[in-house]
Every structure is written in structure tokens, then in C-alpha cells.
Amino acid sequence: MKLNIGCGVDVKAGWVNIDVPVAIPSLPRVEGAELIGCDLDSRTVVLPFADNSVSEILASHVLEHIREVLPLMQELYRVAKPDCVMMAAVPYGSSDGTWTDPTHVRAFFMDTWRYFGQPMYKHADYGYRGDWKPIDVGLAVYDSEFPQGMSREEVLRKVIHERNTVMEMRCLMRAVKPPRERGVNQGEDACQVRIIRRTEQE
């Protein structure tokens, strides 16, 4: 089973497409696609799927709309099979795109993804029991902002210290089952960071 959460109008054939119940009647009907109404932004979110039943999850520009993101990530972890892959795309935290939309409620940065894994919770226990390990982070940047010949370190320094340099951030994660020990971080969550160059016309 593959889940497309917060699908909006991007209803995919061969996937279970999930959005808020009020949106479902207006979404396009696509042959081979299943539509399910579910409030993803709830402390008690429950997806109508069995434990360990999902092999792939897509969350494209939905997590920035979720106030209760830890309960959602824990519930997605519950239904995920071991090594289930999840691809999430969000606006980068230091871009205007993060906050110009009044329905956005949170910002994401490169290290945010590590907090969906148990090794990060050394100093506090918020009751979160999901364990997602980031594998790959892609930063989509405008070519015009990054002249050819800049080193990877120079690009990352610019991303960290300047605004509006990253259009979109994507993260590929895997469900780690059984979960790792809480608060024990030996650098295993370090992941590859890739720069994706785009032109102004894209």
C-alpha cells in the first residue's frame, strides 16, 4: 500500500490519497485511486490501516500545514512497514514561501528531519514514539543565486546564512523498526545533503 497524504488535487492512481474530509468531495476522481477523508492535524489522529501495512508514503507540501506534526509522524510510523520510505517536500524555513501562505504553521530546516527519530530525544520525552531516519535531503536552489564553481561548503554556508536561497526542501526517510534507543545519538542520523539547481523559468 502507498499513501499520498494531504494529496490536494494531486490524486495519484495506485495510491491511497488522503486529505481532510471536507476536501474529498471536490477532489478529482482518478481511475485506480482511492480517496479517504481524514483529519491529519489532530493529537489523536488515527489512520484506518493496520500496523506495518504501508510500503511508501508521499507528503508533498503538507507537513508545513500541520500543527500536531509529531502525532502524525508517529501514526505514519505505526502503519509503516519496516524500511518503509517516506518522501516529504516543504518550503525551506528561511524562504518567504514558508510564511506568506497564512495556512502554513511551521518552518522546516535541514536538521528538522532528525527530530522525527528517537536518537534526538536525549533531554526531554514528549511521548513521541516514531523513529524515522533521514537518508537524503535535497535543496532546490536558483542557479542565478549560486554561480558555477561554488564549492558545496560555500553553497551550504549561503543557504544557512541568507534568506530566499532555497525554493524547496525534500527529504527521503526510512522507518526504523524496531525503534532505536531514545537519546542515544552516535551520528547515525547524518545524511546526504544534495543541491538541486534550477533556472528561474522552472
Side-chain angles (χ1 to χ4, degrees):
M1 188 191 318
K2 300 189 292 186
L3 302 185
N4 180 15
I5 67 166
C7 61
V9 297
D10 186 23
V11 176
K12 295 183 179 297
W15 293 64
V16 177
N17 300 268
I18 303 174
D19 214 317
V20 291
V22 69
I24 294 299
S26 63
L27 295 183
R29 269 27 188 190
V30 175
E31 186 175 352
E34 183 178 354
L35 285 170
I36 291 181
C38 181
D39 180 8
L40 300 172
D41 196 3
S42 167
R43 287 181 182 270
T44 57
V45 60
V46 177
L47 296 171
F49 311 115
D51 295 358
N52 306 305
S53 60
V54 174
S55 59
E56 188 173 351
I57 299 170
L58 175 63
S60 181
H61 290 272
V62 61
L63 296 180
E64 66 269 25
H65 297 269
I66 303 295
R67 288 183 174 84
E68 301 295 343
V69 71
L70 286 180
L72 174 60
M73 293 299 289
Q74 180 171 298
E75 180 63 0
L76 291 171
Y77 178 78
R78 178 187 69 79
V79 303
K81 293 180 178 180
D83 291 325
C84 168
V85 293
M86 178 174 178
M87 173 60 75
V90 296
Y92 193 66
S94 62
S95 71
D96 288 347
T98 296
W99 297 120
T100 49
D101 184 337
T103 67
H104 291 179
V105 297
R106 64 176 59 255
F108 288 79
F109 294 89
M110 284 181 281
D111 277 346
T112 302
W113 308 108
R114 298 171 64 201
Y115 283 85
F116 297 130
Q118 288 300 312
M120 289 303 290
Y121 290 94
K122 178 179 182 179
H123 301 293
D125 181 358
Y126 299 108
Y128 171 68
R129 295 297 180 263
D131 196 7
W132 293 95
K133 180 178 180 180
I135 304 299
D136 178 272
V137 172
L139 303 176
V141 302
Y142 284 123
D143 246 353
S144 59
E145 293 290 322
F146 296 85
Q148 294 295 331
M150 287 183 72
S151 68
R152 181 177 179 276
E153 290 70 25
E154 289 173 317
V155 170
L156 289 177
R157 190 178 305 115
K158 186 177 175 72
V159 166
I160 292 168
H161 294 288
E162 297 184 18
R163 287 178 49 77
N164 294 315
T165 56
V166 179
M167 294 177 290
E168 180 185 67
M169 177 169 57
R170 304 171 193 163
C171 182
L172 179 69
M173 296 171 278
R174 290 190 184 276
V176 181
K177 292 192 172 186
R180 293 164 292 176
E181 186 177 352
R182 188 167 64 252
V184 178
N185 193 334
Q186 298 177 337
E188 68 268 35
D189 274 358
C191 66
Q192 176 182 342
V193 177
R194 292 181 299 107
I195 303 300
I196 305 165
R197 291 180 175 271
R198 291 182 177 176
T199 66
E200 299 285 349
Q201 287 74 37
E202 290 183 274

